[in-house]
Amino acid sequence: MKKLALFVFMIAVSFGVQSQISTPAASPSSTLIQKVGLTDVKLEYSRPSMRGRTIFGDLVPYDKLWRTGANARTKITFSENVKIGNQELKAGSYAIYTKPGATSWEVMFYTEADGGGTPATWDESKVAAKTTAQVQNLPFQVETFTISIDGLSDNGATLGMYWSDVYVGVKFDVPTDKAVTSAIEKVMKGPDANDYYAAAVYYMNAGKDINKAKEWMEKAMSMTYEPAFWQLRQQSLIYAKAGDKKQAIETAKKSLAAAEAAGNDDYIKMNKDSLKEWGLSNIFVPI
């Protein structure tokens, strides 16, 4: 009977039959999401524990490549370009690899972020940024490997790694000041042609103040070096809705000519239909 049970168990294992019993992972996965300034930072990693073992220099050998956690590669994702020292990391995801030493760690951000463990073949060209972090010895033991995002400011933070009695921190900068300064300068200069155009079209379509829409559209066109046929089309519709049929016809003619030059059949037809609707029976488009 025991032999039969063992045989059935071996068959189940060989065919990949999964156990119905769930057990805790030895190194639980963790996800940390943090806003730094205006940049979203997401960290995904697995957290091994000491369990009475000596960690650095033993379980994690000195000067050997480490996945910086357990199981799948430790992955960090930035929504904006950031800087590690004077090195720029483009927005995207990176695996964090380290080479722990007794007094300092080498920390690398590797472009091949997905997968398990370390690459079968290390490709130095995939190291997007590399830095050295000094080891700080803690006056207490950290049982479970922990990565934090601390020292938050508007313009950066520190990626901290804790385990056993060791801490290392890697500072990174985010482009908050650049983004905010650019936004302030844009607002202080006032609306641009696209802002006026979008506001005018919205007012027309929403049935709001058509005279205000007309004013904004004229402002947009005056700021545009060479208005496109679709822009002129919207301007003609605003003129027509405002009761200025003469300007509507003149603007529709310009839109029609530009659409003809661009070979856009849809706008050619729409402009011709509108011109007929507004009372122009003979449509002549100058070449």
Side-chain angles (χ1 to χ4, degrees), residues 129-149:
K130 182 188 296 186
T131 190
T132 299
Q134 298 303 309
V135 167
Q136 297 181 42
N137 293 115
L138 302 173
F140 53 86
Q141 295 284 327
V142 177
E143 171 66 22
T144 302
F145 178 60
T146 301
I147 305 180
S148 66
I149 299 174

Side-chain angles (χ1 to χ4, degrees), residues 48-255:
S49 293
M50 291 175 64
R51 297 190 179 89
R53 300 173 292 184
T54 300
I55 303 303
F56 297 109
D58 191 356
L59 180 68
V60 178
Y62 286 140
D63 303 319
K64 298 290 186 181
L65 194 65
W66 182 40
R67 74 181 79 179
T68 323
N71 304 327
R73 297 174 185 178
T74 291
K75 181 163 71 172
I76 192 166
T77 302
F78 300 102
S79 65
E80 306 286 344
N81 296 353
V82 302
K83 280 191 174 181
I84 308 290
N86 60 356
Q87 304 161 83
E88 184 173 64
L89 273 180
K90 299 292 185 183
S93 297
Y94 301 88
I96 301 174
Y97 286 109
T98 52
K99 283 185 180 179
T103 59
S104 66
W105 289 20
E106 189 175 352
V107 182
M108 293 154 282
F109 295 83
Y110 199 71
T111 57
E112 193 175 280
D114 295 318
T118 56
T121 302
W122 182 259
D123 186 346
E124 193 67 26
S125 70
K126 293 180 179 178
V127 178
K130 182 188 296 186
T131 190
T132 299
Q134 298 303 309
V135 167
Q136 297 181 42
N137 293 115
L138 302 173
F140 53 86
Q141 295 284 327
V142 177
E143 171 66 22
T144 302
F145 178 60
T146 301
I147 305 180
S148 66
I149 299 174
D150 294 317
L152 297 170
S153 72
D154 289 344
N155 296 304
T158 297
L159 186 70
M161 289 168 273
Y162 307 75
W163 203 14
S164 183
D165 60 349
V166 165
Y167 166 81
V168 295
V170 175
K171 292 184 178 180
F172 62 91
D173 298 317
V174 296
T176 305
D177 183 65
K178 180 180 178 181
V180 173
T181 300
S182 176
I184 290 172
E185 290 175 350
K186 181 179 184 297
V187 170
M188 293 307 174
K189 287 178 182 177
D192 62 15
N194 291 331
D195 295 327
Y196 280 118
Y197 177 82
V201 173
Y202 174 77
Y203 257 46
M204 176 184 67
N205 291 334
K208 298 173 79 67
D209 187 343
I210 193 62
N211 289 317
K212 181 60 72 174
K214 176 182 172 182
E215 175 189 335
W216 285 338
M217 182 59 80
E218 288 175 344
K219 184 72 173 175
M221 294 300 99
S222 71
M223 297 170 70
T224 304
Y225 175 69
E226 190 173 344
F229 57 84
W230 64 85
Q231 295 172 316
L232 292 165
R233 166 71 180 165
Q234 293 298 324
Q235 187 177 27
S236 72
L237 295 176
I238 287 174
Y239 279 134
K241 195 168 183 178
D244 191 345
K245 190 173 290 187
K246 180 180 178 181
Q247 286 289 354
I249 289 172
E250 290 304 313
T251 308
K253 284 181 178 179
K254 292 178 183 177
S255 177

